[in-house]
Amino acid sequence: MGAELTRRWFSRPAPIVAPALLGRHLVRRLADGTVCRVRIVETEAYEPDDPASHSYRGRTRRNGSMFGEPGQLYVYLIYGIHHCLNVVTGSAGHGGAVLVRAAEPLEGRRAMERHRGTTDPRALCRGPGRLAASLAVDRGSDGIDLLGSSELWLEPGEAVPADRISRTRRVGISVGADTAWRWVETGSRWATPTPTPTPRA
DNA sequence: TCCCCGATTAACT
DNA sequence: GTTAATCGGGGAG
């Protein structure tokens, strides 16, 4: 097996990187030195030819980092309230990214509880907005290089084997339902509920 | 400049 | 099940 979590590793297409990120550790060092560590259990892939992707209409001030180097962080604000954390994939300028939707808290739970205002462990990182809040990630962290940052980085952890990964349609997105996907560790209690098929019109 | 809507969440009924 | 919270992109005027 080749080296993991290198620039080249992230330069592959989002639908390849997304399932390969399951089981990996996302590590955050806060300003006071506290370390928070979570294990990724749910991801979604976005490519620039996807109408649901922020890169679909080209580069703007908001999505600029999505066109940066693979392995960079792309953080955006959704509904004016919640931040979502993405890892840039594909070659620089491509506009691919993987949204990290949920994770299992491993370390630094006290700090995450403080950030989230709850002690329910399942409510800490289950959902993209919650995960970003737990790790105190907002637009100020947009563009961070996850391969060279002492504030936020990825560690190999233990990849989830293919037979323990489920592929579903993405959450809250109807467009591209047959071509773009969400990946989740099968049966994980730390993931968001698996979406039900789109009801008949 | 105005208007609509979205890769969401929590607090309602 | 429904809705408010509230920011930024994009298209219409």
Side-chain angles (χ1 to χ4, degrees), chain A residues 16 27 41 65 71 85 93 95 129 132 144 160 164 178 195:
Chain A
I16 300 296
V27 191
V41 301
S65 61
L85 187 155
I144 279 183
V160 175
R164 283 203 289 119
D178 295 329

Side-chain angles (χ1 to χ4, degrees), chain A residues 159-199:
Chain A
V160 175
D163 64 0
R164 283 203 289 119
I165 295 177
S166 300
R167 192 187 72 172
T168 77
R169 75 177 186 80
R170 295 177 297 183
V171 177
I173 300 185
S174 52
V175 67
D178 295 329
T179 54
W181 309 100
R182 158 185 180 264
W183 286 268
V184 57
E185 181 181 29
T186 305
S188 174
R189 63 190 296 260
W190 305 103
T192 65
T194 294
T196 54
T198 307

Side-chain angles (χ1 to χ4, degrees), chain A residues 13 22 25 27 30 33 45 47 84 91 97 126 138 140 143 148 159 169 194:
Chain A
L22 299 181
H25 293 184
V27 191
L30 303 173
E47 288 285 14
C84 295
S91 55
R126 192 180 59 169
D138 59 20
R169 75 177 186 80
T194 294

Side-chain angles (χ1 to χ4, degrees), chain A residues 35 47 74 81 110 114-115 121 136 155 163 178 183 196:
Chain A
V35 170
E47 288 285 14
Y74 168 49
I81 299 176
R110 193 68 62 79
R114 189 173 67 247
H115 296 148
E155 291 185 10
D163 64 0
D178 295 329
W183 286 268
T196 54

Side-chain angles (χ1 to χ4, degrees), chain A residues 122-160:
Chain A
R122 290 191 69 209
L124 292 180
C125 304
R126 192 180 59 169
R130 292 165 165 178
L131 172 64
S134 269
L135 298 180
V137 167
D138 59 20
R139 283 288 284 173
S141 298
D142 181 54
I144 279 183
D145 182 7
L146 297 172
L147 276 58
S149 170
S150 57
E151 298 175 24
L152 187 64
W153 66 94
L154 285 157
E155 291 185 10
E158 187 174 351
V160 175

